[in-house]
Amino acid sequence: MAITKKENVFKLDTKNTSYLLKITELGYVMHVYYGAKVEDMDLSEIYPYRGRAFSPNMADNPYSDDRYSLDTLPQEYVGSGCSDFRAASVTALDQSGYNSVDLRYTAYEILETKPSLEGLPSTYDEKGETQTLAIHLVDELRKMKVTLFYTVFAEKDLITRSAKVENIGEDSLYLEKAMSVCMDFPASSYDLIQFHGSWANERQEQRSKIAYGLQGFSSKRGTSSHQHNPFCIVCDHETTEKWGAAYAFGLVYSGNHLLQVEKTQTDEVRLTMGINPDDFGWKLEKNQAFDTPEVMMIFSNHGLNDLSQIYHTAVRKHICRGEWRDKQRPILVNNWEATYFDFDEDKIVDLATKAKSLGIEMIVLDDGWFGHRNDDTTSLGDWFTDYHKLPNGLEGLSHKIKEIDMKFGLWIEPEMISEDSELYRKHPDWVLSQEGRSRSKGRTQYVLDFTREEVIDGIWEQLDLVLKNNPIDYIKWDMNRHLTEVGSLMLAKDCKKETYHRQVLGVYQLMNRLVTSYPHILLENCSGGGGRFDLGMLCYSPQIWTSDDTDAIERLSIQYGSSYAYPLSCMGAHVSAVPNHQTGRITPIKTRGDVAMFGVFGYELDLARLTTEEQDIVKKQCAFYKENALLMQQGKFYRIQTPKDSSYAAWSVVSEDEKHIYLLYVTIKGRANGPQKVVKLPYANYNMKYREVESNRSYYGSTLCHAGVLIADVEQDYQSQLLHFVCE
Ligand code: GLA
């Protein structure tokens, strides 16, 4: 049984973790414990109630002393304004104008099927392997009900949480804040690991000590953003990659988010995660409900690598879905960095023909095939072929691509509209905006109002026509600006603050139409690279373009940072030309390939410009990837040496059956007459003997673990080795 109840205590057990909560005498849901598996049901002795000066006591405090205060009680989901001065989980205004919330337990249920969330993507359980605890709380005065959901994926060490807020009164209720999760950690010394960035520089890890007061990160950009990924790790200050306790929290959501940690006056830490309450509001009429996005939570007692590996499996099996989830993805060539907007049918067919001869399996036609788009100032919203560029239409082009036995992929950016487009001339009011306020442009474009059904329908009709009439195997769905002057003309005055969230629901709705109508299509999400690399998007697209920065050296830290949460099967990674278009750096094609191979592999350059020697290397890269991609993507990923402030980076993958080990070593800064480079592989299987394929040298597993392997020919800047050890 994953969920047990004894008296007023609930216990959620996974293979290696336990989560305990308790209903107190006054009906508050007390957080008791989350961590490595424990047997006891009752831990009250360890975490007793404790009074503090200036921590007020509830009016119905059952004790004669001051020990019962919400301010000192670890809780699961917290109302506001009633003696807890830490961050609230939920606040709501009713017709009285008051917004305090006091939630008390009324009932619980244990559900054998995982409930879905209204309009939101969430984790799924295809094998009936979960149990869900639903805890019902009510504020009688505010006429508000909150149900807390805890789904336990016992075998995967995964627990998910979300909350449903309902109006159980006659009058409308106005939600001002509704977070997905609150977690109160006991007093200790913790670190927060977060993943910040910018365009072309996504998911850079930052580890900091959780200090007194508030810290955290957020997005107010309308998307999850390049700037702050909605994922974090809280770990003991001493935790390393190989050792120690760590918790991961990931929000299954693609819009504005907030993660806050707060170290209290007495050293506890409260974590709150969910939709950013800034610019959020939601009106609930009688009997209406609001679902918060889900949070995926994982605990490991064995360091950050172990935490990531558990997380990767959960993402691969319970977030990603559809025909492509476990399938080997085709090696693609994308024409963006090869031609930008300057292409015609011949150029694309030539690129495809060359690609085919090297072992590449799919060509992706990027931006510029529609309307009259020759640069980024026009035509978004006009999803019909530009016959000047493609005189035989997409049909003619895709037919030629099929004749050379290649798959065909296409770029779209459905959420956007250019001022210079037929769509805008017809529907200028389809833009997200606030009446009377001029509209800011981003990349010279506006954002369509996806809170409106007719706007989504209008875009879908066009896309559907393209997909119906052409043999399209893959779609790259892009999103190239963040949201400003956010408002929908159609929403009532007191519902305008719903726009941000409704916009995200609209995007999900359109994506859902695409993947359900065309389930064979491989969808790759993109937002100026990895600007929307989140669990929400991964519910529709099993892979995401990791970054617009294709420089192999910069990619090291981007992919390294991404690996804390996201498996290799989600990370689009391409070999591009040198000098690199973003950094001007010149790196060997071997290094570019070696780095991109630890992701969903492809190319993004004019292949005809490669030397014969380079083309031979490309052929070998394609052959290697076809043979090993699945083993790598489904294996265990180990971070070995961070590229940050280091002269080299290293990481490794051990296949599920431990018979294959892949090790990547890249020199970032060469050193003349430097030390020998030896890397230990502590994850090799002791009982196996391995052979390194290229050198044909044999090693015992124990040798790889303790003595390591000597890496040759990596003295100079940007040289790399990808070693492949196979069990003999
Ligand atoms: C974004 C994407 C790129 C490319 C361009 C096209 O920046 O991240 O890969 O598709 O748009 O405009």
Side-chain angles (χ1 to χ4, degrees):
M1 286 286 276
I3 301 175
T4 41
K5 178 177 184 298
K6 195 171 159 207
E7 290 159 15
N8 54 351
V9 175
F10 292 95
K11 185 161 186 267
L12 320 180
D13 281 309
T14 70
K15 211 164 50 177
N16 299 299
T17 71
S18 296
Y19 192 119
L20 277 107
L21 43 102
K22 174 176 166 182
I23 311 300
T24 69
E25 302 89 328
L26 295 186
Y28 292 107
V29 192
M30 178 184 176
H31 175 74
V32 178
Y33 175 80
Y34 182 31
K37 196 154 192 160
V38 292
E39 306 306 328
D40 275 324
M41 278 298 278
D42 187 4
L43 302 178
S44 309
E45 269 195 28
I46 308 174
Y47 303 114
Y49 302 153
R50 168 92 199 257
R52 303 265 176 196
F54 286 86
S55 291
N57 311 111
M58 296 303 292
D60 47 357
N61 177 15
Y63 303 101
S64 53
D65 55 25
D66 68 354
R67 82 185 100 140
Y68 199 101
S69 166
L70 292 188
D71 199 32
T72 55
L73 188 75
Q75 289 167 82
E76 286 294 313
Y77 203 74
V78 186
S80 61
C82 297
S83 89
D84 187 337
F85 299 109
R86 298 165 292 176
S89 313
V90 62
T91 59
L93 274 175
D94 65 13
Q95 297 305 307
S96 69
Y98 293 120
N99 72 347
S100 63
V101 174
D102 185 11
L103 293 165
R104 310 277 183 123
Y105 172 83
T106 55
Y108 79 97
E109 292 167 83
I110 293 175
L111 312 169
E112 300 300 329
T113 10
K114 185 174 189 289
S116 55
L117 305 179
E118 188 68 39
L120 284 167
S122 56
T123 54
Y124 65 101
D125 163 24
E126 58 186 346
K127 295 191 185 137
E129 56 184 299
T130 62
Q131 274 193 324
T132 299
L133 172 64
I135 294 195
H136 302 289
L137 311 170
V138 167
D139 181 339
E140 282 298 348
L141 179 70
R142 212 54 77 219
K143 296 286 175 239
M144 175 174 156
K145 177 175 172 187
V146 172
T147 305
L148 306 180
F149 293 103
Y150 301 79
T151 297
V152 185
F153 294 76
E155 282 307 303
K156 304 288 172 40
D157 281 326
L158 166 67
I159 297 177
T160 66
R161 282 188 60 180
S162 67
K164 185 192 274 303
V165 186
E166 283 169 85
N167 179 353
I168 52 170
E170 295 298 318
D171 299 327
S172 49
L173 186 69
Y174 196 77
L175 263 184
E176 295 178 316
K177 178 180 189 182
M179 304 305 282
S180 300
V181 101
C182 166
M183 175 77 67
D184 282 338
F185 292 90
S188 184
S189 183
Y190 299 102
D191 283 359
L192 172 70
I193 308 178
Q194 65 193 79
F195 300 87
H196 71 97
S198 55
W199 172 77
N201 184 41
E202 298 89 336
R203 289 171 298 288
Q204 305 291 323
E205 84 225 53
Q206 171 181 295
R207 182 167 177 164
S208 46
K209 199 169 166 33
I210 299 184
Y212 295 104
L214 284 174
Q215 82 203 60
F217 55 84
S218 64
S219 166
K220 294 210 309 180
R221 294 169 175 268
T223 78
S224 48
S225 85
H226 307 82
Q227 285 72 14
H228 295 288
N229 198 262
F231 169 82
C232 75
I233 295 170
V234 172
C235 59
D236 284 346
H237 185 56
E238 300 76 23
T239 296
T240 65
E241 288 286 7
K242 293 186 207 151
W243 185 88
Y247 301 80
F249 299 85
L251 188 67
V252 190
Y253 191 58
S254 312
N256 289 349
H257 56 83
L258 173 72
L259 177 286
Q260 218 171 46
V261 286
E262 180 178 6
K263 185 160 177 172
T264 69
Q265 52 175 343
T266 46
D267 294 358
E268 295 91 11
V269 168
R270 169 165 294 174
L271 174 145
T272 330
M273 188 181 221
I275 293 180
N276 194 335
D278 263 13
D279 301 321
F280 168 82
W282 201 270
K283 191 174 170 191
L284 289 175
E285 299 295 1
K286 181 182 173 185
N287 293 332
Q288 285 185 340
F290 180 85
D291 280 325
T292 72
E294 189 174 44
V295 167
M296 263 180 45
M297 306 190 308
I298 278 170
F299 169 81
S300 166
N301 215 12
H302 304 289
L304 300 172
N305 268 328
D306 188 59
L307 183 81
S308 295
Q309 289 159 9
I310 301 170
Y311 209 84
H312 290 174
T313 307
V315 173
R316 284 199 290 109
K317 296 294 181 195
H318 299 292
I319 285 282
C320 297
R321 60 200 77 191
E323 285 183 19
W324 284 98
R325 186 186 78 173
D326 302 323
K327 267 209 244 170
Q328 176 135 346
R329 320 282 164 72
I331 303 175
L332 65 83
V333 62
N334 179 304
N335 76 307
W336 181 240
E337 287 198 19
T339 68
Y340 294 101
F341 291 104
D342 181 20
F343 63 84
D344 56 22
E345 186 184 283
D346 287 346
K347 274 196 189 174
I348 299 300
V349 173
D350 286 351
L351 183 60
T353 313
K354 182 87 227 166
K356 174 79 188 169
S357 74
L358 299 175
I360 295 169
E361 297 158 300
M362 175 161 77
I363 179 147
V364 176
L365 179 58
D366 210 277
D367 196 354
W369 58 268
F370 51 91
H372 60 280
R373 188 159 160 102
N374 296 313
D375 56 36
D376 60 14
T377 62
T378 79
S379 304
L380 294 170
D382 292 349
W383 300 108
F384 42 80
T385 315
D386 177 355
Y387 281 89
H388 293 289
K389 264 186 212 160
L390 304 173
N392 302 308
L394 269 186
E395 265 176 77
L397 173 63
S398 51
H399 184 71
K400 287 191 179 163
I401 302 292
K402 292 286 151 180
E403 269 177 1
I404 49 177
D405 193 24
M406 290 277 275
K407 290 184 188 301
F408 182 56
L410 200 62
W411 179 96
I412 55 174
E413 194 179 356
E415 294 149 73
M416 298 294 156
I417 183 165
S418 308
E419 204 160 15
D420 180 4
S421 67
E422 286 188 19
L423 191 72
Y424 188 82
R425 283 183 281 276
K426 215 161 136 199
H427 297 292
D429 64 310
W430 277 18
V431 173
L432 274 183
S433 59
Q434 300 190 355
E435 286 138 307
R437 176 86 53 221
S438 39
R439 302 159 170 180
S440 309
K441 283 185 179 162
R443 209 193 187 198
T444 72
Q445 65 204 46
Y446 298 129
V447 184
L448 282 166
D449 181 355
F450 270 21
T451 72
R452 289 165 65 175
E453 202 73 30
E454 78 265 37
V455 178
I456 300 176
D457 288 345
I459 295 297
W460 174 243
E461 273 162 31
Q462 293 193 57
L463 295 180
D464 193 28
L465 215 61
V466 173
L467 299 174
K468 224 183 256 162
N469 294 332
N470 298 284
I472 290 172
D473 303 292
Y474 159 109
I475 287 284
K476 177 177 173 188
W477 178 312
D478 211 337
M479 198 283 186
N480 277 314
R481 66 157 289 182
H482 291 149
L483 279 50
T484 54
E485 299 86 30
V486 174
S488 170
L489 302 180
M490 303 311 282
L491 285 173
K493 208 162 75 187
D494 54 352
C495 295
K496 295 282 191 212
K497 285 184 104 180
E498 297 177 13
T499 314
Y500 272 110
H501 182 58
R502 287 193 184 275
Q503 179 75 10
V504 180
L505 296 181
V507 173
Y508 288 147
Q509 197 200 115
L510 187 62
M511 265 187 190
N512 197 42
R513 280 197 211 177
L514 175 66
V515 298
T516 47
S517 308
Y518 297 94
H520 72 279
I521 287 183
L522 170 60
L523 183 62
E524 175 154 358
N525 186 258
C526 171
S527 174
R532 205 158 55 176
F533 207 121
D534 59 61
L535 298 174
M537 283 296 136
L538 286 171
C539 290
Y540 304 95
S541 66
Q543 62 191 61
I544 298 180
W545 180 222
T546 309
S547 178
D548 272 351
D549 188 342
T550 56
D551 174 70
I553 300 306
E554 299 239 299
R555 269 300 184 113
L556 289 171
S557 61
I558 297 171
Q559 292 175 213
Y560 203 90
S562 302
S563 80
Y564 281 87
Y566 305 105
L568 300 185
S569 59
C570 297
M571 289 187 224
H574 300 170
V575 172
S576 63
V578 288
N580 178 268
H581 293 191
Q582 292 81 40
T583 61
R585 190 179 275 126
I586 296 176
T587 52
I589 194 149
K590 170 170 165 46
T591 305
R592 281 173 271 156
D594 285 354
V595 175
M597 214 83 83
F598 289 84
V600 183
F601 189 56
Y603 292 84
E604 186 151 342
L605 74 172
D606 185 354
L607 295 163
R609 292 195 175 189
L610 295 175
T611 62
T612 327
E613 197 191 327
E614 285 172 330
Q615 291 187 22
D616 283 342
I617 294 176
V618 169
K619 275 188 198 158
K620 283 195 192 124
Q621 288 172 341
C622 290
F624 177 86
Y625 187 76
K626 283 177 195 165
E627 209 164 302
N628 296 286
L630 276 185
L631 288 172
M632 289 166 78
Q633 290 172 4
Q634 295 172 6
K636 288 187 174 176
F637 183 84
Y638 291 95
R639 289 174 295 273
I640 296 176
Q641 173 58 50
T642 173
K644 286 223 180 296
D645 306 320
S646 166
S647 61
Y648 77 100
W651 61 53
S652 161
V653 171
V654 180
S655 67
E656 233 175 335
D657 61 6
E658 300 185 335
K659 290 185 174 159
H660 295 260
I661 301 174
Y662 304 87
L663 168 67
L664 177 74
Y665 185 106
V666 181
T667 299
I668 297 170
K669 195 167 185 290
R671 179 172 151 196
N673 196 23
Q676 295 278 51
K677 289 157 178 58
V678 175
V679 175
K680 291 181 191 167
L681 292 168
Y683 317 104
N685 186 318
Y686 266 55
N687 303 317
M688 289 185 186
K689 195 174 176 198
Y690 295 91
R691 179 177 54 82
E692 201 284 311
V693 176
E694 188 87 10
S695 62
N696 218 12
R697 265 212 61 171
S698 291
Y699 302 83
Y700 285 102
S702 52
T703 307
L704 292 177
C705 287
H706 302 308
V709 57
L710 178 69
I711 316 286
D713 301 328
V714 284
E715 297 300 317
Q716 295 181 357
D717 286 2
Y718 318 139
Q719 285 183 319
S720 71
Q721 286 297 347
L722 196 176
L723 303 184
H724 179 196
F725 303 88
V726 187
C727 175
E728 288 188 314

